[in-house]
Amino acid sequence: MGTVTIGVSIAVPEPHGSLLQERRAGFGDPAAHGIPTHVTLLPPTEVDEERLPEIEAHLAGLAALSDPFTMRLDGTGTFRPLSPVVFVKLVEGAEGCDVLQQRIRDAAGPVPRELQFPYHPHVTVAHGISEAAMDRAFEELADYGAEWTCSSFALYEQGADEVWRKLYDYEFGSGRTVTVPAVPAQGGSPVDEPTATH
């Protein structure tokens, strides 16, 4: 067996997910349709494929011990000049995200990942494009807002085509692996193709 690149995130539900994905594409970000609109919990991480069952069990266990919490987006921010990213700010729910990401990356667990930068939950809407386009994203989404109840997170795998595809959703309170109807495929992206539960 070889290695696979995985990530764990909280999907932004509809209609907000598709709207922000289309806006990201409109700003000229070529990665827009390969990445579902999300808040990262575990950034892209290369792991041995044979460890996936252990990682899946780890995530299910964490979800079983987690409770739903409110997430609210409001306005824009940027990591420039440190990193060429414009994002929509998470103004409520950051604490819940932080607890989850720490537990996922725990040194005693199967994915003890170190972070390049301090954890800062957000929703990327432009990355690595021209300064003018990033300025446009920052300005045009400055009044954007959305709110929902987060009740699951998902495990994704990046394909050879650089598209992220969802493997499983993990439901809070039970740890069940489910497909959440509120998060369909966005913008024609194949990232949320149905998968069997186990």
Side-chain angles (χ1 to χ4, degrees):
M1 284 191 172
T3 62
V4 293
T5 299
I6 62 168
V8 180
S9 65
I10 294 170
V12 176
E14 296 305 307
H16 316 295
S18 287
L19 185 151
L20 290 176
Q21 188 179 49
E22 290 302 320
R23 294 305 303 271
R24 183 171 179 173
F27 298 134
D29 190 329
H33 288 302
I35 305 173
T37 308
H38 68 283
V39 175
T40 297
L41 297 177
L42 176 73
T45 302
E46 188 174 313
V47 299
D48 291 331
E49 191 171 6
E50 63 187 15
R51 299 201 69 187
L52 279 177
E54 181 185 0
I55 292 168
E56 291 164 9
H58 172 61
L59 295 175
L62 292 180
L65 298 174
S66 300
D67 294 316
F69 58 93
T70 298
M71 293 184 70
R72 184 163 63 90
L73 305 176
D74 187 25
T76 50
T78 182
F79 293 133
R80 295 183 291 173
L82 188 62
S83 182
V85 172
V86 171
F87 56 86
V88 174
K89 294 186 290 187
L90 182 66
V91 296
E92 187 174 354
E95 183 178 350
C97 292
D98 189 40
V99 168
L100 286 172
Q101 68 89 22
Q102 287 185 54
R103 290 175 177 170
I104 290 168
R105 297 187 302 103
D106 189 278
V111 276
R113 167 72 191 268
E114 291 294 322
L115 299 181
Q116 184 178 0
F117 301 106
Y119 183 69
H120 185 281
H122 63 279
V123 177
T124 297
V125 291
H127 178 223
I129 55 179
S130 73
E131 288 294 322
M134 285 194 286
D135 287 344
R136 196 175 130 225
F138 187 88
E139 293 162 6
E140 291 186 10
L141 291 171
D143 295 327
Y144 183 80
E147 183 176 322
W148 72 95
T149 299
C150 173
S151 58
S152 68
F153 56 71
L155 173 65
Y156 290 83
E157 180 181 332
Q158 186 179 37
D161 56 3
E162 298 190 350
V163 171
W164 287 90
R165 292 174 174 84
K166 182 165 61 180
L167 298 179
Y168 302 105
D169 278 294
Y170 296 90
E171 184 180 71
F172 291 173
S174 71
R176 288 186 307 158
T177 54
V178 295
T179 299
V180 179
V183 191
Q186 296 173 358
S189 170
V191 290
D192 281 338
E193 293 170 344
T195 55
T197 59
H198 64 214

